């Protein structure tokens, strides 16, 4: 079992110390205190986990969709039964307010398992009758041992967005969660036996990306990698996996435009823009961090936006009225603050925020930052081009539709966008011309798990969701059958 202070690796149904016998300190971002120790694994632990996953694959890959479906539904029920404990642990580990961990993260964990548990009972395959004597039919086979690597912003939410389809389609998995947020991944492993998931089907290795993550990406017996994280790391994953021609799904960074036309539903836009700017401390790759407002609405929007932001409570993640907790780490806080300083150097004006909020003594060492609004930056400035991944947005105006489309596309990323307008032609024209994987018209982060999710350009490779996950987590074999 997981000990109270040390998080061991979970391999073949056993909790095992890392071969290095070394551990990483894991911090509570709200207090800056160490609250657990994490296995500091390396290639030896990955090798052992892959071996266990290969052994388990022999039987798991032969189970029926009904059997796997029943086990995944059971897993979802067990997580739901323990949702408060999961939410509190996620909040303590990541910093987000616990009720957001419950309503956003854990609700989606449960939903992902139930979605794919259902999907595999209804998935269909192609069959084409060619002529009087021949027909083609497609067989789908699980890929094998899937390597799943996840980031620290939506820890269990994003890890299980990979685990659920991987298991559903008959694969076994070796997972490497972020070393900043591994606690709920460990807690998740404690439910597997009760859910009827056989030993070796799910293996969890903790540690750094450079050691454990890299070893997983390079492992010759791991034919598939699903990775979510920064774009720079995504490049390393592509390079490291090239040797073995691995199937890759990369969900990387974003610098998403939030485009607001004067004819929008103003009240709904303003309420949603507060969330798309600062939810999860702005540490969601889908956040609308570049706000573009039609010129005639610009001044009014700025006034209202700043007034509403002042109502957002930053502080104790255990409190129900807290909207923003701390950032994930001291290093990340420093990175975000340095980008705000760069914005000043590059002629930007910090309209509000940019500093450390005044909080009770117990949070004095926490990684808190005020929600920050920057105006007056040029399109080619650092903060308009590079992902900040914190509670920081830039706001600028535009005159014409063509102008804002060009500005929105003027970055290396292409993940998502929000467009606020009541004009259908405007909405369609903008959506058609944006180089991003997802466009929300008059909403943000509304997620239907059947749709293709992913980015283009520096935001990633591939799509996951619904049948796109089936395409990724299975290999297709076309059989041409001729009756002689
Ligand atoms: O990423 P990192 P972080 C992006 C987000 C931001 C970043 C934040 O925009 O840029 O991810 O997450 C492991 N080989 N998204 O800082 O450092 C590392 O241990 C193998 C986009 O955690 O890339 C961790 O488990 N693995 C996304 C994971 O990779 C390596 C949503 C991510 O770490 C490795 C969420 C290596 N060489 C965040 N180096 C989206 N588009 O949905 C590190 N890792």
């Amino acid at each position: 079992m997981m000990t109270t202070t040390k998080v061991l690796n979970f391999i073949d149904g056993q909790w095992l110390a890392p071969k290095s016998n070394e551990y990483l300190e894991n911090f509570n971002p709200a207090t800056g205190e160490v609250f657990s120790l994490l296995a500091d694994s390396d290639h030896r632990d990955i090798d052992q986990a892959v071996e266990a996953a290969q052994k388990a694959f022999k039987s798991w890959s032969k189970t029926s969709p009904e059997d796997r479906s029943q086990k995944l539904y059971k897993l979802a029920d067990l997580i739901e039964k323990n949702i408060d404990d999961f939410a509190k642990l996620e909040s303590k580990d990541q910093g987000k307010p616990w009720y957001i961990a419950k309503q956003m993260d854990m609700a989606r964990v449960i939903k992902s398992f139930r979605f794919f548990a259902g999907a595999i009972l209804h998935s269909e395959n192609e069959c084409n009758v060619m002529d009087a004597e021949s027909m083609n039919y497609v067989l789908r086979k699980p890929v094998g041992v899937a390597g799943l690597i996840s980031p620290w912003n939506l820890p269990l939410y994003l890890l299980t967005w990979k685990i659920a389809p991987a298991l559903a389609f008959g694969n076994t998995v070796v997972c490497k969660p972020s070393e900043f947020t591994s606690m709920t991944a460990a807690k998740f492993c404690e439910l597997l036996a009760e859910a009827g998931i056989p030993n070796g089907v799910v293996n969890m290795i903790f540690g750094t990306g450079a050691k454990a993550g890299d070893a997983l990406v390079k492992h010759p017996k791991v034919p598939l990698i699903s990775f979510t994280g920064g774009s720079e790391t995504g490049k390393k994953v592509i390079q490291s996996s090239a040797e073995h021609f691995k199937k890759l799904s990369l969900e990387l960074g974003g610098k998403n435009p939030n485009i607001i036309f004067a004819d929008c539903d103003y009240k709904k836009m303003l309420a949603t823009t507060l969330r798309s700017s600062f939810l999860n401390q702005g540490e969601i790759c889908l956040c609308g961090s570049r706000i573009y407002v039609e010129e005639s609405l610009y001044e009014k929007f700025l006034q209202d936006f700043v007034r509403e932001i002042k109502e957002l409570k930053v502080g104790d993640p255990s409190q129900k009225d807290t909207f923003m907790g701390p950032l994930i780490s001291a290093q990340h806080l420093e990175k975000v603050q340095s980008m705000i300083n760069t914005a000043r150097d590059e002629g930007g004006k910090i309209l509000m925020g940019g500093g450390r909020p005044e909080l009770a003594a117990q949070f004095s060492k926490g990684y808190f930052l005020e929600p920050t609004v920057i105006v007056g930056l040029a399109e080619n400035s650092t903060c308009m081009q590079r992902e900040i991944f914190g509670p920081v947005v830039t706001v600028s105006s535009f005159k014409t539709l063509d102008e804002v489309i060009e500005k929105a596309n003027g970055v290396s990323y292409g993940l998502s966008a929000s467009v606020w307008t009541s004009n259908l032609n405007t909405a369609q024209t903008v959506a058609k011309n944006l180089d991003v994987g997802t466009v929300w018209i008059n909403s943000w982060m509304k997620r239907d798990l059947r749709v293709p999710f992913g980015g283009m350009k520096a935001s990633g490779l591939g799509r996951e969701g619904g049948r796109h996950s089936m395409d990724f987590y299975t290999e297709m074999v076309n059989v041409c059958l001729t009756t002689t």
Side-chain angles (χ1 to χ4, degrees), residues 273-379:
T273 295
L274 277 172
R275 289 172 49 80
S276 65
S277 300
F278 303 112
L279 183 67
N280 208 57
Q281 301 75 242
E283 296 166 329
I284 301 179
C285 56
L286 299 169
C287 278
S289 53
R290 280 186 297 150
I291 302 174
Y292 292 101
V293 185
E294 191 166 9
E295 193 172 57
S296 58
L297 192 65
Y298 183 69
E299 290 306 332
K300 171 179 171 49
F301 170 79
L302 276 184
Q303 272 171 18
D304 294 343
F305 189 43
V306 165
R307 187 191 66 246
E308 292 298 320
I309 296 171
K310 286 185 175 138
E311 299 303 310
L312 298 178
K313 186 181 164 213
V314 180
D316 182 353
S318 67
Q319 298 304 307
K320 184 82 175 138
D321 62 345
T322 299
F323 181 77
M324 256 176 48
L327 273 63
I328 184 67
S329 67
Q331 304 91 318
H332 189 58
L333 172 62
E334 203 181 307
K335 172 199 157 188
V336 174
Q337 284 185 299
S338 74
M339 292 196 75
I340 294 169
N341 295 334
T342 303
R344 281 195 190 88
D345 300 345
E346 294 182 347
K349 179 182 174 212
I350 312 301
L351 201 58
M352 70 172 294
R356 310 289 304 279
E358 288 289 315
L359 297 173
Q362 74 194 79
F363 301 116
S364 59
K365 293 196 174 65
Y367 318 130
F368 293 88
L369 185 66
E370 294 166 338
T372 304
V373 178
I374 306 173
V375 296
L377 281 171
E379 282 301 313

Side-chain angles (χ1 to χ4, degrees), residues 11-171:
I11 301 175
D12 206 11
Q14 307 293 319
W15 293 100
L16 301 176
K19 294 284 183 291
S20 67
N21 223 16
E22 284 164 15
Y23 293 83
L24 303 166
E25 289 184 326
N26 183 45
F27 294 82
N28 173 342
T31 62
E33 289 159 355
V34 175
F35 82 98
S36 63
L37 294 172
L38 204 57
D40 186 6
S41 307
D42 58 35
H43 67 89
R44 294 169 293 178
D45 307 291
I46 291 288
D47 291 349
Q48 191 177 1
V50 172
E51 207 177 308
Q54 278 185 287
K55 188 172 61 129
F57 181 76
K58 293 190 177 75
S59 46
W60 181 253
S61 60
K62 295 183 175 54
T63 52
S64 68
E66 289 75 12
D67 179 22
R68 295 197 299 268
S69 173
Q70 180 269 329
K71 288 174 166 61
L72 294 183
Y73 274 126
K74 174 74 177 164
L75 194 47
D77 294 346
L78 289 171
I79 295 165
E80 191 166 53
K81 206 168 88 179
N82 296 277
I83 191 167
D84 287 336
D85 292 345
F86 271 103
K88 289 195 177 87
L89 186 57
E90 195 75 292
S91 171
K92 185 174 180 181
D93 206 14
Q94 200 279 341
K96 68 184 79 187
W98 71 268
Y99 70 91
I100 291 178
K102 181 170 179 176
Q103 292 168 5
M104 177 170 73
D105 297 63
M106 295 313 148
R108 173 60 188 276
V109 168
I110 293 160
K111 193 174 172 186
S112 292
F113 279 110
R114 288 181 175 152
F115 174 81
F116 286 106
I120 53 174
L121 300 178
H122 306 287
S123 55
E124 296 170 354
N125 287 318
E126 296 166 47
C127 178
N128 298 288
V129 177
M130 201 166 172
D131 51 35
E133 58 185 18
S134 299
M135 60 179 276
N136 289 274
Y137 62 93
V138 173
L139 285 178
R140 282 183 185 274
K141 303 196 293 188
V143 183
V145 176
L148 311 179
I149 302 175
S150 52
W152 48 254
N153 61 324
L154 302 165
L156 197 59
Y157 172 134
L158 287 171
L159 177 57
T160 51
W161 174 237
K162 301 173 189 294
I163 293 176
L167 297 192
F169 293 110
N171 303 284

Side-chain angles (χ1 to χ4, degrees), residues 150 152-153 176 178-179 209 213 227-230 233 252-253 285 387 389:
S150 52
W152 48 254
N153 61 324
K176 211 299 291 173
S178 173
E179 55 274 36
F227 170 83
T228 300
T233 313
L252 306 177
C285 56
E387 179 183 52
F389 213 55

Side-chain angles (χ1 to χ4, degrees), residues 153-430:
N153 61 324
L154 302 165
L156 197 59
Y157 172 134
L158 287 171
L159 177 57
T160 51
W161 174 237
K162 301 173 189 294
I163 293 176
L167 297 192
F169 293 110
N171 303 284
T172 53
V173 301
V174 176
C175 309
K176 211 299 291 173
S178 173
E179 55 274 36
F180 293 102
T181 50
S182 291
M183 300 306 289
T184 49
K187 185 175 182 56
F188 167 78
C189 293
E190 293 178 351
L191 301 178
L192 293 167
E194 193 179 349
I197 309 276
N199 292 343
V201 172
V202 176
N203 303 278
M204 201 69 73
I205 298 295
F206 301 102
T208 66
K211 285 195 308 190
D214 187 51
L216 181 57
V217 172
K218 286 176 176 166
H219 199 291
K221 301 290 183 199
V222 176
L224 174 151
I225 299 288
S226 178
F227 170 83
T228 300
S231 297
E232 284 314 304
T233 313
K235 281 182 195 166
K236 293 179 191 167
V237 171
I238 294 173
Q239 288 153 359
S240 301
S241 61
E243 178 68 24
H244 299 288
F245 300 98
K246 298 194 179 191
K247 282 190 101 172
L248 287 184
S249 167
L250 303 178
E251 300 287 355
L252 306 177
K255 189 70 181 180
N256 312 304
N258 177 6
I259 303 169
I260 301 166
F261 288 90
D263 65 4
C264 70
D265 173 338
Y266 189 80
K267 192 160 171 276
K268 186 181 174 198
M269 175 282 295
L270 190 59
T272 309
T273 295
L274 277 172
R275 289 172 49 80
S276 65
S277 300
F278 303 112
L279 183 67
N280 208 57
Q281 301 75 242
E283 296 166 329
I284 301 179
C285 56
L286 299 169
C287 278
S289 53
R290 280 186 297 150
I291 302 174
Y292 292 101
V293 185
E294 191 166 9
E295 193 172 57
S296 58
L297 192 65
Y298 183 69
E299 290 306 332
K300 171 179 171 49
F301 170 79
L302 276 184
Q303 272 171 18
D304 294 343
F305 189 43
V306 165
R307 187 191 66 246
E308 292 298 320
I309 296 171
K310 286 185 175 138
E311 299 303 310
L312 298 178
K313 186 181 164 213
V314 180
D316 182 353
S318 67
Q319 298 304 307
K320 184 82 175 138
D321 62 345
T322 299
F323 181 77
M324 256 176 48
L327 273 63
I328 184 67
S329 67
Q331 304 91 318
H332 189 58
L333 172 62
E334 203 181 307
K335 172 199 157 188
V336 174
Q337 284 185 299
S338 74
M339 292 196 75
I340 294 169
N341 295 334
T342 303
R344 281 195 190 88
D345 300 345
E346 294 182 347
K349 179 182 174 212
I350 312 301
L351 201 58
M352 70 172 294
R356 310 289 304 279
E358 288 289 315
L359 297 173
Q362 74 194 79
F363 301 116
S364 59
K365 293 196 174 65
Y367 318 130
F368 293 88
L369 185 66
E370 294 166 338
T372 304
V373 178
I374 306 173
V375 296
L377 281 171
E379 282 301 313
N380 63 354
S381 62
T382 305
C383 282
M384 291 286 266
Q385 289 293 315
R386 273 187 38 208
E387 179 183 52
I388 300 171
F389 213 55
V392 182
V393 293
T394 60
V395 187
S396 54
S397 65
F398 66 89
K399 290 188 177 65
T400 68
L401 188 143
D402 292 345
E403 174 197 347
V404 75
I405 288 172
E406 189 183 344
K407 286 179 175 176
N409 285 333
V411 292
S412 61
Y413 297 96
L415 189 56
S416 69
S418 281
V419 182
W420 294 93
T421 177
S422 55
N423 181 314
L424 206 51
N425 292 330
T426 303
Q428 298 274 35
T429 305
V430 176

